[in-house]
């Protein structure tokens, strides 16, 4: 009689079924993702990829259409000079849009602070360094006003900044009496105001200090957004402010800090704007808000917040610069440039909606 090993027998009746069950480890990853799904996931994880691809294609297309003169160091460095102001203001706009907000007052803050820097120097005789500091402080104050109304009074960012855009712009005109401070006077008596417009020759390329300021600012903000708790909090608030608050994020303080920092950056743009134009004028740069939003949207940043890259904003600003410069070299009417940029904006938003389905 054959003896049966008791250890090999199921101890309970239901265990007899388990001896024939599958032993493979469960895998929840999709094994049959098609090319479209893989592309969508890649673009979702790399938001700067689309604007970078568009930028490279734009350079290639205009190099073919315009010819080799488009790829000269002088031409490419000139594009950087032209987008420096938009890139700086776009950096401020990027911080705000990451929190699912929007700042329509960035252009007005830029103009107001530049006028204050000029008027404090020439009207009141303050040292130019002190006048610049006053302008930067005013930019922070303007941002603080926006931040308090949005974070504590709970007003929609669009409405708040639409109102402050008008207020800051009107204040600029009233305070300056619509007066322009000439470039010759600034060059003679307050040359530091034109600092960011001074040029550096590197080979055949010409750069201004404003270009280096834009690149340095974006590099610092890229690090902050990707490697600090404050940067992660911005993404969290933009993605889901209620969940971020439950997770311990002080959303009100973070929002105020975002708008204050945006105000400081706009003041920096105002100083760079003086260098770019040479003069201080209340008429120049007041629509930088539209230009900055254009750079952000074309740069692949979601207007719903929580997704995007500041490098994408830089690529978006460069795309607009390449189109403007390339079509001007080709000899087309400026209206065609606006048409192409409008198409790019709508296409960028459509791509963003398509990519966001991954998260959904």
């Amino acid at each position: 009689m054959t003896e049966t090993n008791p250890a090999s027998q199921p101890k309970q009746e239901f265990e007899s079924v388990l001896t024939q069950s599958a032993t493979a480890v469960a895998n929840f990853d999709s094994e049959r993702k098609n090319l479209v799904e893989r592309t969508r996931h890649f673009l979702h994880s790399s938001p700067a990829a689309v604007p970078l691809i568009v930028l490279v294609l734009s350079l290639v297309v205009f190099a073919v259409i315009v010819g080799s003169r488009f790829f000269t160091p002088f031409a490419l460095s000139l594009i950087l000079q032209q987008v420096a102001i938009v890139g700086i203001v776009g950096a401020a706009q990027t911080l705000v849009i990451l929190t699912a907000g929007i700042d329509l007052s960035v252009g007005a803050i830029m103009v107001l602070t530049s006028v204050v820097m000029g008027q404090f120097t020439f009207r009141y005789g303050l040292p130019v360094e002190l006048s610049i500091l006053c302008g930067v402080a005013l930019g922070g104050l303007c941002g603080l006003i926006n931040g308090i109304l949005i974070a504590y009074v709970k007003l929609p960012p669009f409405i708040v900044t639409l109102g402050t855009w008008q207020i800051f712009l009107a204040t600029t005109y009233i305070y300056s009496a619509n007066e322009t401070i000439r470039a010759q006077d600034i060059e003679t008596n307050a040359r530091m105001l034109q600092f960011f417009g001074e040029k550096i020759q590197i080979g055949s390329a010409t750069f201004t200090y404003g270009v280096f300021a834009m690149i340095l600012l974006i590099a610092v903000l890229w690090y902050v957004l990707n490697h600090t708790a404050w940067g992660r909090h911005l993404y969290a608030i933009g993605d889901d402010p209620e969940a971020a608050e439950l997770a311990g994020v002080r959303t009100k303080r973070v929002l105020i800090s975002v708008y204050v920092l945006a105000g400081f950056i706009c003041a920096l743009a105002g100083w760079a704007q003086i260098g770019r134009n040479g003069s201080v004028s209340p008429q120049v740069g007041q629509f930088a808000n539209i230009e900055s939003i254009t750079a952000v949207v074309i740069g692949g940043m979601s207007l719903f917040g929580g997704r995007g890259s500041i490098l994408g904003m830089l690529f978006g600003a460069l795309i607009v610069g390449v189109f403007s410069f390339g079509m001007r070299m080709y000899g087309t009417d400026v209206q065609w440039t606006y048409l192409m940029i409008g198409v790019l904006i709508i296409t960028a938003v459509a791509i963003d909606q398509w990519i966001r389905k991954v998260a959904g």
Side-chain angles (χ1 to χ4, degrees):
M1 185 174 179
T2 305
E3 295 184 1
T4 305
N5 185 5
S8 64
Q9 296 295 323
K11 295 182 180 180
Q12 298 188 36
E13 184 177 351
F14 73 88
E15 292 182 351
S16 61
V17 182
L18 300 179
T19 58
Q20 301 177 354
S21 62
T23 58
V25 178
N27 184 6
F28 295 97
D29 292 333
S30 175
E31 298 178 356
R32 296 184 178 179
K33 288 180 182 177
N34 57 35
L35 179 61
V36 174
E37 290 174 336
R38 289 199 300 270
T39 302
R40 186 186 291 175
H41 276 273
F42 169 73
L43 296 178
H44 185 267
S45 60
S46 306
V50 173
L52 178 59
I53 294 170
V54 174
L55 176 61
V56 172
L57 291 176
S58 302
L59 289 169
V60 172
V61 168
F62 281 109
V64 173
I65 294 175
V66 177
S68 59
R69 59 196 177 104
F70 182 80
F71 260 122
T72 61
F74 174 77
L76 295 178
S77 61
L78 188 59
I79 293 173
L80 282 172
Q81 291 180 45
Q82 292 175 345
V83 304
I85 307 301
V86 176
I88 295 173
V89 179
Q93 193 71 258
T94 296
L95 299 177
V96 173
I97 289 180
L98 277 177
T99 64
I102 196 166
D103 194 344
L104 298 177
S105 67
V106 288
I109 295 175
M110 181 185 76
V111 178
L112 176 59
T113 53
S114 68
V115 166
V116 165
M117 292 176 190
Q119 293 291 340
F120 275 30
T121 301
F122 287 90
R123 183 185 296 183
Y124 305 125
L126 293 180
V128 63
E129 297 83 1
L130 182 58
S131 298
I132 292 171
L133 287 176
C134 290
V136 172
L138 178 61
L141 177 61
C142 293
L144 179 63
I145 294 171
N146 284 336
I148 290 174
L149 292 175
I150 292 167
Y152 284 96
V153 187
K154 299 291 186 182
L155 297 178
F158 181 88
I159 302 301
V160 169
T161 57
L162 179 63
T164 54
W165 172 35
Q166 300 289 340
I167 293 170
F168 298 154
L169 210 56
T171 303
T172 302
Y173 290 135
I174 294 170
Y175 175 69
S176 67
N178 210 12
E179 173 190 346
T180 297
I181 301 175
R182 299 183 307 167
Q184 297 91 329
D185 296 333
I186 295 176
E187 187 174 356
T188 303
N189 302 305
R191 192 172 179 83
M192 190 173 179
L193 288 175
Q194 297 176 335
F195 171 75
F196 287 113
E198 295 184 9
K199 296 181 179 180
I200 302 175
Q201 196 77 23
I202 303 177
S204 301
T206 304
F207 300 95
T208 61
Y209 285 116
V211 172
F212 293 112
M214 176 192 70
I215 294 173
L216 179 61
L217 173 66
I218 291 174
V220 170
L221 290 179
W222 176 87
Y223 178 84
V224 169
L225 290 173
N226 289 279
H227 297 284
T228 66
W230 185 81
R232 291 191 292 272
H233 291 169
L234 259 64
Y235 282 98
I237 291 172
D239 188 53
D240 191 335
E242 294 181 357
E245 193 162 5
L246 289 173
V249 177
R250 297 181 176 180
T251 55
K252 293 179 180 178
R253 290 188 180 183
V254 173
L255 282 175
I256 288 180
S257 68
V258 165
Y259 283 92
V260 170
L261 180 57
F264 285 140
I265 295 173
C266 290
L268 174 65
W271 185 10
Q273 180 76 10
I274 298 174
R276 172 70 180 160
N277 296 316
S279 60
V280 176
S281 173
Q283 303 288 344
V284 178
Q286 54 186 272
F287 295 108
N289 52 353
I290 305 300
E291 295 172 347
S292 66
I293 294 172
T294 299
V296 168
V297 172
I298 294 178
M301 184 162 293
S302 175
L303 290 176
F304 299 97
R307 196 185 74 83
S309 167
I310 195 166
L311 291 179
M313 181 281 301
L314 175 60
F315 297 148
L318 289 172
I319 289 169
V320 174
V322 167
F323 267 80
S324 301
F325 187 73
M327 297 188 78
R328 190 162 60 247
M329 288 186 72
Y330 187 64
T332 58
D333 191 278
V334 67
Q335 303 304 328
W336 285 101
T337 303
Y338 295 145
L339 186 149
M340 293 301 300
I341 292 174
V343 171
L344 284 173
I345 292 172
I346 295 173
T347 303
V349 174
I351 292 174
D352 173 66
Q353 292 293 302
W354 178 70
I355 294 173
R356 283 178 70 88
K357 292 179 181 179
V358 174

